Amino acid sequence: MSACVPTRHDHTSRSSRPPRASGIKRPHSPPPPPHGGRFRIAGADLSASVTVFLLAVPMSLGLAVAMDAPLEAGLISAAIGGIVAGLLGGTPLQVSGPSAGLTVVTAELIQIYGWRTTCAITIGAGLLQILLGSLRAARSALAVSPAIVHGTLAGIGVAIALAQLHIVLGGSPQSSAVANALALPDQWGRVSPAAPLIGVLTIAILILWPRIPGRIGRVVRRIPAALAAVVTATVVAAITAPGIARVDLPSWRSHALPEMPHGPVLALATAVLTVMLVASLESLLAAVAVDKLSADRAGGQATARSNADLPSASSPASASASVRPDPACSSPPDPPVRRSDLDRELRAQGIANTLSGLVGGLAVSGGAVRSSANVRAGATGRASTVLHGVWVVLAAGLLVTTLEQIPLAALGALVMMVGIQMVSFAHIRNVHKHREFLVYGATISGVLLFGVLKGVVIGIAVAVAVALHRLARTRITVTEQGGQHLVVVQGQLTFLAVPRLSRALARLPQDGDAVVELDGFFMDHAAYETIQDWSTAQTAHGGRVVFTGRSGGRIAEPASAAHSCCRPWTPWRNHHCHDRSGQTPETQHARLDTGRAPDCGSGAVEDHSPERHTSHDSSGAHSTPGPAGSPTAAPRRTGSNRLFSGLSSFQRNTAPLVREELARLAREGQRPSQLFITCADSRLVTSMITASGPGDLFTVRNIGNLVPPPDAESSDDSVGAAIEYAVDVLKVESITVCGHSGCGAMQALLGARPDPDTPLSSLWRWLRHGLPSLERMRSRHHAWARISGRLPADAVEQLCLTNVVQQLDHLRAHGSVARRLAEGTLQLHGMYFHVGEAQAYLLAEGASAGLALDEVFNRVDPGDAHASSDSHSPADAHALAGAHTSAGSRSPGDAGTPRPAAPGDPAGSGELERTGV
C-alpha cells in the first residue's frame, strides 16, 4: 500500500514562471477567480463575517462620535464599505468602513462647512479616486517615503487620542489638536466621575482581553475585544450610572443628504484632495499589509500540513514508503495566495466613497483592525467582507434600541485606543534605524499644528532637504600607513565634491601605493571621471591603486563591462547570453522577475571579486530548469557547441581577469584552507555558494557526498586518498561535508531495493556506503536531525540531513583526521544547501564535532558573516560605491532585507493593527 506524502514544489524555479505573453498578471494582480468568478460563501467566510461585524459596529459608531457626524452615517459607511468595496475591490480579504485616518479631517470639515457639504466633498474625493485608479496610479502612491506616511498616520492618531480624551472625561472635543491639548487642564477641573470610570473600564478590557491566559483565554478571545469592552461598559453603565450620556440614533427620516458645496473653490478643492490622499494611502497600505498577513497564514498552514505528513520517528519503515507518492491519492496543491490589485482596489474605494457620500455616509477606506480580524478569523474570500456589510444593514434597521444603550464614554475610549495604536513604536524604531526620524518628527508636528495636507507637504520638504544634505555631505581624509596612503571617502561622490577630491588625490605621490575606500551610495559621472583619470595616471607612473568598500573588500570592474551584456565575473548566470540568435530563458525570466530589461551595461558593480566568481563549477551552470517540452524551455545546444561556446567565453571575458591570480598559484602551488566533500549534483555550484575562487577549496564530489569508512568492505580508496592528501599534505584547516535538497542518491536509498538475484550495478555498489545513514534515520537510538525553525519537509530531506551527520562520523574514523582532531588543528563542519531556496544551513558546532546529541542545522543569514574579498586589480570604479557600500553601511543584523514574520508571529498581524490603518 503506497503512502501519500506531499512533494516539495519549487515555485521559484525560473522555468515555472510564465512569460509576459501568457496574460498572467504580475505581483499585486491576482489571477482570474476560479469557477468563472461565481460568488461562493464558505463556512469559514460566514463565521468570519460575524466576527468582523461584531467589531465593526462599535468602531463605526465610535468614529462617528469622534467626527461629530450623525451616528447613522458611521453605519452607512460600514455597510457600503463592506458590500461595495468588498464586491469590487482588488483585495478580497480587506474590510472597508469609516476611515480612522480621516477622523480629524472630517471633524474639521463638518465644523467649517456643515455635514451636507462634507458629504459632497466625500463624493468628489471618491470620483478622484476612480480617476486615479483608472490611470493606474495606485502604486505611485506608495512611492512616498514610509517616514512621511507613518508620520502622517501617527500625527492623526495623536490628534484622535487628544480629542477622544475629552469625551472620556465627559466633555466635548475642540476644533484642533492644539486646542484639545490646551483645554485639557480646564476639562480635568470639571470632570464628573461616571464617564471617566466607564472609559477606564473600556480601556482596561481592550488591553487585558487578548492577554487572558489558558483554555479560558483561547475561548473568550474568539469574541472581539472591542465588542467585549463596549458590552461590558454598557451593562455596568446601565446599573451604576443610568444618567450617563449615551448614543442617540435619530430617525432615518431625518437623515441629511448631500448638497451642492458652498465655500471658496480653492478651499473645497484642498479638502477634496486631502480626503482623497489620506483615504487612498490608508487603503493601499492596509491592502499591502493584508497580503502579508494572508501569505503568513498560508505559510503556517502549509508548514502544519508538512509536519503532520512527516513520517513518525517510531515507524521508520514508513519513511521509505512515503517518498513514493501515489498519484491516485495525491491531493491537488493549495491555490496560490492572491495578491492585491491595487488599481482595482483604489477604483473600488472611489466607488464606495461616491455612494457613501450620495446617501449621507462617512468617507470610506480599508481598515487594518477590521482586515486583520477578518484574516485571523479564517476568511477565504470576499464573501466575509460582503456579508459583514449585510449584517451592519440589518443591525441598523433592527437593533436601534440596543445600540442606543451604549455610553458615549465607551465609544470615545475605543476610538482613543485606535488613535494610540496608530503611533507604532515599531515604525519609530525603523525610521530611526534608517536615519529618517527627523522626517518622521517633522511630519507629525506638521499634521498636529497645521493639518494633514500641510503636514504632508512639510514632511516632503524636510525629506528633500535631508536627501540634499546627505548628497552634498562628503568627507575625504588621507592618512599614511606603512608607506601606503589610505584615502577614505565618506558620503556621496557628486560634482560638488570633485574639487575637494581632486585636491586630496593630487597630494599623493605619483609613484606610491594607495588604497581608496569608497563609503557611499552614489557616484556621478564627474566624480567617476576624476577618479578614473587619476587612477590611470597613478598606474602609468608605477604606482598601485586599490579600490575598496567600507568593509575593506577590494572591488573592481573592467572598463568594458559597462558596455557588455554578459558580466564576466558571473558566467554561470549568463552562459546563454553569448548566443545572439535568440533570447535565453534566463533573460526572459529576468524581465519577468524584475519588470525591466536584464542587466546589460548598467555599470552597477556588486561586491564580488573577479577571481572569486569566475572559477565557479560550471557543472550545473548550463542546466535549464523545467521540462524540455514546457513552453518556457529553450532549445538545448549540442554538447560540443556548448563546450566550445563556454570555453570561448572564458578565454574572452574571464581569463584576462584571473590570469594573474592563476599565474601566482601556478608558481606558489595550491594552499587550500578547506576540504569540501559534496555531491556531484550539477545544481550544486560549490564555489558560488561558498564565495570562493581558485586555490580556496580542495573539492571531492561523488554521488551522495558519501565518505566510506576506512575499514568498510570494498572501501573506496579515491575518497580516502583525497582525505589523506588534504589533511596530511595540504594541511587543510577544516573539512566540510555538504548535502543538498532533492538528492537523487538519498531518493534511491529510500526507494526500491535492487533484486537480490541480480548482480549489483556500480551505482548500487557505491550506494551501499549510504546504508548506515538510512539505518541511523530509522534507529530509535538517534534523534532525528532538524532544521532550525522547522521540521524536515519529507523523508528525503530527513535522510539528506542524517546522511551529513553520518558521513562526519565516518570522517572521524580515518586515522589522519582523528590525529589532527586530537591535536586541535582541524575542524569538521556539516552543511545542508536547499537548492530551490538558495539557502545554506550549518550543523550546530557541537554536533559537527561529535560532542552533542542535538543535531540541528541552523540557517545562515546574510548578516551572519563578514566576508571580505581577496586581492583584485584596480580598474573601473564607476557606480561601485553604491552597490558595494550600501550593504556595508547596514548593520550586520539588517542583512539588507527584512525578515518575514513567521505565521502567528505578533510581528505579522500585530504589526498591521499597530498601524491603526
Side-chain angles (χ1 to χ4, degrees):
M1 179 177 179
S2 60
C4 296
V5 292
T7 304
R8 289 179 68 88
H9 297 286
D10 183 10
H11 296 292
T12 62
S13 173
R14 292 180 181 272
S15 62
S16 65
R17 296 172 183 160
R20 286 191 177 196
S22 65
I24 295 180
K25 298 181 181 180
R26 291 191 290 275
H28 284 297
S29 295
H35 311 293
R38 289 178 292 173
F39 188 79
R40 290 176 172 268
I41 300 177
D45 291 328
L46 183 62
S47 61
S49 68
V50 175
T51 300
V52 179
F53 158 73
L54 296 176
L55 173 67
V57 169
M59 283 198 63
S60 301
L61 294 174
L63 290 173
V65 171
M67 299 176 189
D68 198 22
L71 298 186
E72 65 272 18
L75 299 176
I76 290 173
S77 59
I80 291 179
I83 297 174
V84 177
L87 283 174
L88 305 178
T91 311
L93 299 184
Q94 176 162 276
V95 181
S96 300
S99 172
L102 284 171
T103 302
V104 178
V105 176
T106 305
E108 184 178 358
L109 293 177
I110 293 174
Q111 188 174 23
I112 296 175
Y113 300 108
W115 169 243
R116 300 181 67 183
T117 299
T118 300
C119 292
I121 293 173
T122 301
I123 297 173
L127 295 175
L128 190 55
Q129 283 181 309
I130 297 174
L131 175 62
L132 293 177
S134 301
L135 296 176
R136 307 188 68 82
R139 187 155 298 283
S140 301
L142 298 179
V144 182
S145 169
I148 298 175
V149 174
H150 296 305
T152 302
L153 294 176
I156 293 172
V158 173
I160 291 174
L162 288 173
Q164 296 312 295
L165 182 57
H166 284 273
I167 295 179
V168 172
L169 296 177
S172 300
Q174 304 298 314
S175 58
S176 66
V178 176
N180 282 319
L182 296 177
L184 274 178
D186 181 62
Q187 183 66 53
W188 278 107
R190 48 190 175 85
V191 67
S192 59
L197 290 176
I198 294 298
V200 169
L201 175 63
T202 305
I203 294 173
I205 296 176
L206 288 172
I207 295 175
L208 299 177
W209 192 261
R211 295 172 172 80
I212 298 176
R215 182 178 302 176
I216 298 178
R218 288 194 298 271
V219 174
V220 301
R221 280 196 296 270
R222 297 177 182 177
I223 303 174
L227 178 66
V230 171
V231 169
T232 304
T234 301
V235 173
V236 171
I239 298 174
T240 61
I244 195 172
R246 303 176 187 276
V247 168
D248 181 17
L249 285 174
S251 171
W252 288 104
R253 296 178 181 177
S254 60
H255 181 64
L257 297 177
E259 64 178 2
M260 290 299 295
H262 300 286
V265 176
L266 182 59
L268 291 173
T270 302
V272 170
L273 181 62
T274 303
V275 172
M276 182 277 301
L277 177 66
V278 176
S280 300
L281 282 177
E282 196 173 10
S283 299
L284 296 178
L285 289 173
V288 174
V290 167
D291 279 347
K292 178 180 179 298
L293 282 182
S294 303
D296 288 346
R297 185 183 68 177
Q301 293 172 349
T303 301
R305 286 195 298 270
S306 298
N307 294 342
D309 292 331
L310 194 66
S312 172
S314 61
S315 56
S318 65
S320 176
S322 65
V323 298
R324 297 188 300 274
D326 185 358
C329 60
S330 60
S331 59
D334 293 337
V337 179
R338 294 185 186 178
R339 305 196 64 184
S340 298
D341 183 340
L342 297 184
D343 294 302
R344 177 180 174 182
E345 181 65 31
L346 186 58
R347 290 194 298 270
Q349 294 293 333
I351 295 172
N353 273 314
T354 302
L355 292 178
S356 181
L358 284 173
V359 297
L362 297 173
V364 172
S365 72
V369 176
R370 295 180 293 263
S371 300
S372 62
N374 191 38
V375 174
R376 290 200 305 270
T380 61
R382 60 181 76 247
S384 64
T385 302
V386 176
L387 287 176
H388 125 271
V390 174
W391 308 145
V392 171
V393 172
L394 296 177
L398 303 177
L399 301 178
V400 174
T401 304
T402 303
L403 295 178
E404 287 181 338
Q405 300 300 316
I406 301 175
L408 290 180
L411 295 180
L414 174 63
V415 178
M416 185 175 72
M417 290 300 295
V418 172
I420 293 174
Q421 289 173 353
M422 292 173 71
V423 185
S424 171
F425 290 101
H427 292 149
I428 294 175
R429 289 193 299 268
N430 193 37
V431 297
H432 184 269
K433 179 177 66 177
H434 292 285
R435 299 186 300 171
E436 292 187 327
F437 187 78
L438 180 62
V439 179
Y440 183 83
T443 306
I444 292 180
S445 302
V447 169
L448 291 175
L449 295 176
F450 307 107
V452 174
L453 192 60
K454 293 180 181 178
V456 171
V457 172
I458 291 173
I460 294 175
V462 173
V464 171
V466 170
L468 291 176
H469 173 72
R470 291 175 179 172
L471 192 63
R473 180 186 177 189
T474 306
R475 294 181 57 190
I476 303 173
T477 59
V478 180
T479 57
E480 184 176 357
Q481 300 176 352
Q484 185 181 62
H485 290 81
L486 174 63
V487 181
V488 179
V489 181
Q490 295 178 310
Q492 320 321 316
L493 275 175
T494 66
F495 65 94
L496 299 174
V498 166
R500 283 179 291 153
L501 179 63
S502 299
R503 285 194 298 269
L505 296 177
R507 290 198 298 266
L508 303 180
Q510 291 185 342
D511 56 350
D513 294 342
V515 176
V516 180
E517 181 179 311
L518 301 175
D519 181 9
F521 300 94
F522 176 76
M523 177 192 298
D524 69 2
H525 189 71
Y528 158 69
E529 291 286 355
T530 300
I531 290 181
Q532 182 66 22
D533 293 344
W534 169 81
S535 176
T536 302
Q538 192 82 355
T539 305
H541 285 84
R544 184 170 178 268
V545 180
V546 175
F547 294 96
T548 75
R550 185 179 187 181
S551 62
R554 303 184 183 185
I555 45 183
E557 177 187 7
S560 62
H563 309 286
S564 170
C565 179
C566 304
R567 294 185 173 181
W569 56 91
T570 54
W572 58 272
R573 180 181 179 186
N574 299 297
H575 59 272
H576 284 297
C577 67
H578 302 289
D579 295 338
R580 300 296 182 183
S581 58
Q583 194 179 39
T584 71
E586 295 194 354
T587 303
Q588 295 172 359
H589 293 307
R591 295 191 176 193
L592 179 64
D593 294 346
T594 61
R596 59 179 176 82
D599 244 338
C600 297
S602 64
V605 180
E606 303 170 56
D607 185 13
H608 302 309
S609 65
E611 293 82 20
R612 292 189 176 274
H613 287 271
T614 52
S615 62
H616 290 157
D617 187 344
S618 60
S619 60
H622 301 289
S623 61
T624 304
S630 64
T632 59
R636 296 178 63 88
R637 293 178 291 174
T638 62
S640 59
N641 185 27
R642 175 173 298 196
L643 175 64
F644 178 81
S645 175
L647 292 174
S648 176
S649 172
F650 169 79
Q651 296 299 146
R652 179 172 60 254
N653 295 317
T654 306
L657 298 175
V658 300
R659 185 170 286 118
E660 181 181 353
E661 177 70 7
L662 290 178
R664 182 186 66 81
L665 291 172
R667 292 191 307 268
E668 301 175 1
Q670 61 169 329
R671 292 196 298 268
S673 61
Q674 303 177 62
L675 169 59
F676 201 83
I677 304 175
T678 189
C679 186
D681 192 293
S682 62
R683 298 165 297 178
L684 206 63
V685 186
T686 56
S687 55
M688 178 181 70
I689 63 177
T690 59
S692 57
D696 290 340
L697 294 183
F698 189 74
T699 306
V700 174
R701 305 187 68 151
N702 60 54
I703 301 297
N705 47 273
L706 301 178
V707 181
D711 56 349
E713 182 180 353
S714 302
S715 177
D716 182 88
D717 291 333
S718 66
V719 178
I723 294 172
E724 292 179 5
Y725 185 76
V727 173
D728 294 335
V729 179
L730 298 178
K731 303 294 184 183
V732 295
E733 299 171 358
S734 67
I735 304 177
T736 301
V737 177
C738 175
H740 68 95
S741 60
C743 182
M746 301 302 106
Q747 295 180 30
L749 285 172
L750 284 167
R753 295 290 180 270
D755 189 349
D757 299 330
T758 304
L760 290 178
S761 63
S762 298
L763 177 60
W764 272 106
R765 284 197 298 271
W766 170 255
L767 286 180
R768 286 189 302 176
H769 299 303
L771 292 178
S773 300
L774 186 59
E775 294 171 1
R776 184 189 190 102
M777 187 182 80
R778 292 177 172 177
S779 172
R780 299 186 180 183
H781 301 291
H782 295 279
W784 276 20
R786 307 190 309 279
I787 290 183
S788 177
R790 68 173 176 86
L791 290 173
D794 49 33
V796 175
E797 186 169 61
Q798 179 61 63
L799 184 55
C800 291
L801 300 174
T802 303
N803 182 58
V804 171
V805 180
Q806 183 64 36
Q807 302 314 311
L808 289 174
D809 285 351
H810 291 176
L811 261 177
R812 298 186 193 95
H814 284 261
S816 56
V817 175
R819 183 176 61 257
R820 289 280 305 278
L821 288 174
E823 296 171 356
T825 58
L826 182 67
Q827 291 183 336
L828 301 185
H829 302 294
M831 176 179 166
Y832 175 75
F833 186 76
H834 194 290
V835 178
E837 298 173 357
Q839 178 62 55
Y841 298 85
L842 279 180
L843 183 61
E845 185 176 353
S848 292
L851 303 176
L853 298 178
D854 196 15
E855 299 163 359
V856 179
F857 287 78
N858 295 311
R859 176 189 177 100
V860 179
D861 289 325
D864 289 347
H866 303 278
S868 61
S869 304
D870 284 342
S871 61
H872 311 283
S873 58
D876 186 9
H878 183 44
L880 52 82
H884 181 80
T885 59
S886 61
S889 63
R890 303 186 187 101
S891 61
D894 295 343
T897 57
R899 187 172 300 176
D905 181 20
S909 60
E911 176 70 16
L912 179 61
E913 287 194 13
R914 284 196 297 271
T915 63
V917 179

